[in-house]
Amino acid sequence: MARKHALFRFQLPEFVLLLLIVLSGVMLAFSSGGFVISIEKVGFTIVSTLQKGVNTVASGVGNTINAVHELSRLREENAALTEKLKNYEYLQRTNTEIRKENERLKEQLDFSNTIEQKNYAAQIIGRDPDSLYSGLTINKGSRNGIKKNMPVIAVQNGTVGLVGKVVTVGIGTSLVMPIYDLKCSVSGRIQNTRDIGLITGRGSSENPLSMKYIKKRVLEELHFGDLVVTSGETENYIRDIPIGSISKITVLDYDSSLDIEITPIIDFARLETVIVTDLQEKNLHIAQGGQN
């Protein structure tokens, strides 16, 4: 065993020789500058790599921060644009409603100027189907010139129609009994045949009106859709104001008269404004036009 260990043991001269060779190589490298250049290259590579990494991290963080700010700005702009769009849509709807209202008012004004009787434009502000008269409340009263039993008409989609009559008058408001009320009776004339009958309501605007006292002998002369207008004979309503059209004719064996259903020409569910007429006074506009 002692002999084997001796094989790996260096002799002093050999170790000194090896050390001198290594030292000579190092000194030669320093003297030629190659080692210095290698250190500079290694140092530059390490530093530049670190700089590149730092720059990449900093750039990523900066881009992330910028992206967050940009996203926040875009959200604010989107919210502002959404609000502007809502305001624009609201203005569009409002302008459309105003135009329609102006058209209705102009239509009403043009017609009221052609009526011989003095008249007052009014707006419906309430409906009470459970009241005594299933009434329509309007925003005009005694201080505006409204009186009890004044007839009420309207212009709807270019068509003139009978609404009813004033039954209660307050200082600033009035109650109108519509023609579909059970207590309302109107003398009407079939425009085609000129026959006169009595028109009464059936308690609801959804139900047709009833016309009585039209003789059976005129049955062949009647047609669905024939217009029925006010007769004007009782002086309670203006003459020839449309009430409705014939929608059904029933022949009763036990009655000498026909049972006729009339569909009102006015759509009460969409009625907003009315014209109250004073049969006792002339329209000032018409009177002045006649004087000129």
Side-chain angles (χ1 to χ4, degrees):
M1 294 294 293
R3 187 175 299 175
K4 290 183 179 180
H5 284 289
L7 293 174
F8 295 96
R9 185 175 301 171
F10 285 102
Q11 298 297 324
L12 180 60
E14 295 174 351
F15 176 77
V16 172
L17 177 60
L18 180 61
L19 180 62
L20 290 175
I21 293 172
V22 171
L23 290 175
S24 300
V26 171
M27 292 179 64
L28 180 62
F30 271 104
S31 62
S32 62
F35 190 75
V36 175
I37 294 174
S38 298
I39 290 178
E40 289 179 354
K41 288 182 178 180
V42 171
F44 173 76
T45 301
I46 294 173
V47 172
S48 61
T49 302
L50 290 175
Q51 287 178 340
K52 182 178 180 180
V54 171
N55 181 68
T56 301
V57 172
S59 177
V61 172
N63 290 337
T64 302
I65 294 175
N66 291 335
V68 171
H69 286 307
E70 182 68 13
L71 180 61
S72 177
R73 185 183 66 82
L74 290 175
R75 285 177 177 174
E76 292 177 358
E77 290 183 358
N78 182 63
L81 290 173
T82 302
E83 189 64 25
K84 287 182 179 179
L85 180 60
K86 289 180 180 179
N87 293 335
Y88 175 76
E89 292 175 347
Y90 172 76
L91 289 175
Q92 285 291 95
R93 289 194 300 269
T94 302
N95 290 337
T96 301
E97 292 173 0
I98 290 175
R99 284 196 298 270
K100 289 181 179 179
E101 180 65 19
N102 288 338
E103 289 174 0
R104 286 194 296 267
L105 293 175
K106 183 180 183 302
E107 184 179 58
Q108 181 175 276
L109 178 61
D110 291 343
F111 174 73
S112 65
N113 288 335
T114 65
I115 303 176
E116 294 183 359
Q117 293 78 14
K118 187 175 182 179
N119 56 82
Y120 309 89
Q123 183 176 4
I124 296 175
I125 59 174
R127 302 168 190 263
D128 189 2
D130 297 325
S131 69
L132 180 62
Y133 299 106
S134 301
L136 305 173
T137 304
I138 59 175
N139 64 343
K140 294 291 175 66
S142 58
R143 67 184 177 190
N144 306 108
I146 306 299
K147 299 175 185 177
K148 187 176 181 179
N149 292 324
M150 282 186 173
V152 181
I153 57 180
V155 184
Q156 192 176 61
N157 299 324
T159 303
V160 179
L162 183 65
V163 175
K165 68 177 181 178
V166 176
V167 291
T168 304
V169 181
I171 297 176
T173 58
S174 298
L175 185 66
V176 175
M177 179 174 65
I179 56 175
Y180 58 79
D181 190 274
L182 290 170
K183 300 183 185 306
C184 186
S185 297
V186 182
S187 175
R189 185 190 300 274
I190 300 177
Q191 195 174 58
N192 180 37
T193 65
R194 310 309 294 171
D195 290 284
I196 294 179
L198 187 65
I199 299 174
T200 57
R202 292 181 174 176
S204 171
S205 61
E206 298 178 357
N207 297 328
L209 307 173
S210 175
M211 188 173 191
K212 302 291 187 181
Y213 310 117
I214 301 297
K215 300 300 181 180
K216 290 181 177 179
R217 57 181 171 79
V218 300
L219 177 61
E220 298 298 325
E221 302 178 49
L222 300 179
H223 305 88
F224 295 120
D226 281 351
L227 188 64
V228 179
V229 299
T230 54
S231 68
E233 292 188 354
T234 59
E235 296 184 352
N236 291 329
Y237 296 94
I238 301 174
R239 185 183 180 91
D240 291 330
I241 296 296
I243 299 173
S245 58
I246 296 177
S247 55
K248 183 179 180 180
I249 302 174
T250 303
V251 179
L252 302 175
D253 295 335
Y254 58 84
D255 197 337
S256 61
S257 300
L258 298 171
D259 184 13
I260 301 176
E261 290 186 357
I262 306 295
T263 300
I265 200 167
I266 292 294
D267 184 353
F268 286 89
R270 296 183 176 183
L271 187 61
E272 299 179 55
T273 57
V274 297
I275 300 173
V276 183
T277 56
D278 187 348
L279 300 180
Q280 306 303 318
E281 294 188 39
K282 290 291 184 180
N283 189 342
L284 183 61
H285 178 81
I286 298 296
Q288 289 178 343
Q291 291 176 357
N292 293 336

